[in-house]
Amino acid sequence: MLEDFQVLAIPTKTNFRGINLREVVIFHGPFGYSEFSPFVEYSKNESKNWMRAAIEAAYKPKPELRKSKVKINATLPKVDLDKVKNILDLYPGAKTIKIKVDSFVEDAKLVSKALEYAPSAQIRLDVNGGWDLQRARENIEKFDQEFSSHIEYYEQPCAELSELKKLKEITKSKIAADESIRKNLDFKFEELSEYVDIAILKWQPVGGFNAACELAEKIKLPVVISSALETGIGVGLGLHLAASIGTELACGLGTVGLLEADIVNEPLEIIDGEIAVISRTPNQEQIAKYRASEERWLWWKKRVEEVLGSGDFDEYFN
């Protein structure tokens, strides 16, 4: 792996969770290309699952597909209202829009603008655990009152599982868990239906194909597969996961449009709100264009070595 990896630095089109430059590692194994791309601030321990996923995809057979295409949702970051159309144009045919929000007061206009663009769209509001129970109750009541027929679910409205459980008891709105799953992988997921209605899984953060499929089986809730702002290599593997689980819900796997450019030969083209599930390979011209500096290459090499040295990954190579 260390002999065959590239470090890329790709600018983003918008400020996405504070990121203007996405750094990733791309490498190749006997079962295809893979990506290792934990965010730079993540600790060595938090990056282990990302490494397990990356190695498994390159060195182990992938699960059997149940479908050849995956429905995707549009992803709308917090942007100026005049940029909403440009962002949503990146997702032709998508019938669901995921919007990052902080509060009703700050973001109701953003939701309204998205619905001006797509009046029949279903809306997913992603809070990233930003509300306590009281704020969640207040904001959900206001969003529901204004947009009730369009809200599909609220994603991670509270950070704490205990608050999610109480929130589920007092609201009829559907609640989805993201961080509560990937940051609590020792949780008894057979009980998750007491806390939320929908589970969001990400290929790298949960540890790869096998780990995600096992989680989905334990959780027994509708599943949405989402990306972690990966390149077409990583998103392509997320698409494979979604198609192997066979989820019918739109997935958050159309995010390469948030990067300045993708780096694969086989574009993740969105047609009628779907992306085809195929094997994807790096385009060498794009690899050369977005190759990171020598300093960043050395930083990532050290990080890869530290993560590999911090756990037992032999089973993935043997």
Side-chain angles (χ1 to χ4, degrees):
M1 177 182 175
L2 288 168
E3 293 175 354
D4 179 33
F5 79 97
Q6 300 282 350
V7 181
L8 308 179
I10 307 173
T12 61
K13 292 178 180 176
T14 65
N15 186 312
F16 189 86
R17 67 181 298 279
I19 292 173
N20 294 302
L21 188 71
R22 187 66 169 112
E23 294 185 342
V24 306
V25 169
I26 301 295
F27 66 98
H28 186 262
F31 289 92
Y33 282 90
S34 190
E35 175 174 330
F36 174 65
S37 52
F39 296 101
V40 294
E41 71 272 17
Y42 282 11
S43 68
K44 177 173 60 180
N45 284 336
E46 193 168 1
S47 299
K48 284 182 182 179
N49 278 336
W50 298 65
M51 180 64 77
R52 291 188 180 96
I55 294 173
E56 179 193 50
Y59 287 87
K60 295 291 184 182
K62 296 174 180 57
E64 184 177 347
L65 297 177
R66 297 186 185 181
K67 56 201 322 185
S68 61
K69 297 178 182 178
V70 172
K71 289 189 293 186
I72 59 97
N73 64 251
T75 300
L76 181 62
K78 289 174 67 68
V79 296
D80 294 337
L81 297 182
D82 61 355
K83 296 181 180 178
V84 169
K85 181 180 185 301
N86 291 339
I87 296 293
L88 296 182
D89 279 344
L90 300 172
Y91 305 92
K95 296 178 175 58
T96 305
I97 303 173
K98 172 180 168 177
I99 306 175
K100 298 280 187 179
V101 296
D102 290 322
S103 70
F104 178 82
V105 171
E106 293 180 56
D107 301 305
K109 289 183 179 179
L110 187 62
V111 178
S112 293
K113 195 68 176 179
L115 288 170
E116 282 182 24
Y117 177 94
S120 62
Q122 287 292 290
I123 301 295
R124 298 170 174 177
L125 297 181
D126 185 5
V127 189
N128 288 123
W131 296 335
D132 60 23
L133 181 60
Q134 183 60 33
R135 288 183 65 208
R137 183 173 186 173
E138 292 171 354
N139 279 287
I140 287 174
E141 285 179 356
K142 291 175 181 177
F143 275 118
D144 280 352
Q145 185 175 3
E146 186 74 18
F147 307 108
S148 60
S149 63
H150 293 281
I151 303 294
E152 183 180 11
Y153 61 69
Y154 295 86
E155 181 175 332
Q156 201 67 51
C158 304
E160 299 299 324
L161 279 165
S162 58
E163 290 190 316
L164 289 178
K165 187 172 185 178
K166 291 177 182 176
L167 183 62
K168 190 174 187 300
E169 293 171 354
I170 61 177
T171 182
K172 295 180 180 179
S173 302
K174 289 188 176 181
I175 306 298
D178 176 7
E179 290 89 346
S180 286
I181 295 174
R182 57 187 172 86
K183 292 182 180 292
N184 297 283
L185 292 175
D186 57 350
F187 180 75
K188 293 182 179 179
F189 285 104
E190 295 86 350
E191 302 173 1
L192 192 63
S193 61
E194 299 176 16
Y195 298 77
V196 297
D197 305 284
I198 293 157
I200 296 171
L201 304 180
K202 296 180 178 178
W203 161 69
Q204 285 193 82
V206 302
F209 294 121
N210 288 336
C213 290
E214 289 176 5
L215 268 178
E217 181 62 28
K218 287 180 182 178
I219 289 169
K220 297 189 185 306
L221 288 173
V223 169
V224 170
I225 305 300
S226 190
S227 81
L229 197 58
E230 296 138 321
T231 72
I233 297 296
V235 173
L237 294 167
L239 287 164
H240 192 109
L241 173 60
S244 66
I245 290 176
T247 179
E248 293 300 322
L249 294 177
C251 291
L253 296 167
T255 53
V256 292
L258 299 176
L259 301 175
E260 178 182 275
D262 198 9
I263 51 91
V264 294
N265 289 310
E266 305 81 9
L268 283 86
E269 185 178 8
I270 301 170
I271 301 175
D272 295 331
E274 297 180 320
I275 301 178
V277 183
I278 59 173
S279 178
R280 289 179 164 88
T281 57
N283 179 286
Q284 294 307 312
E285 289 185 3
Q286 293 293 83
I287 293 292
K289 179 178 179 180
Y290 292 106
R291 184 171 289 126
S293 67
E294 182 69 14
E295 178 184 359
R296 297 308 297 164
W297 191 93
L298 291 172
W299 187 92
W300 276 95
K301 182 175 185 291
K302 181 180 179 182
R303 187 182 201 189
V304 167
E305 289 173 337
E306 287 178 346
V307 176
L308 283 174
S310 68
D312 184 5
F313 295 95
D314 288 350
E315 64 175 294
Y316 298 97
F317 291 105
N318 296 329

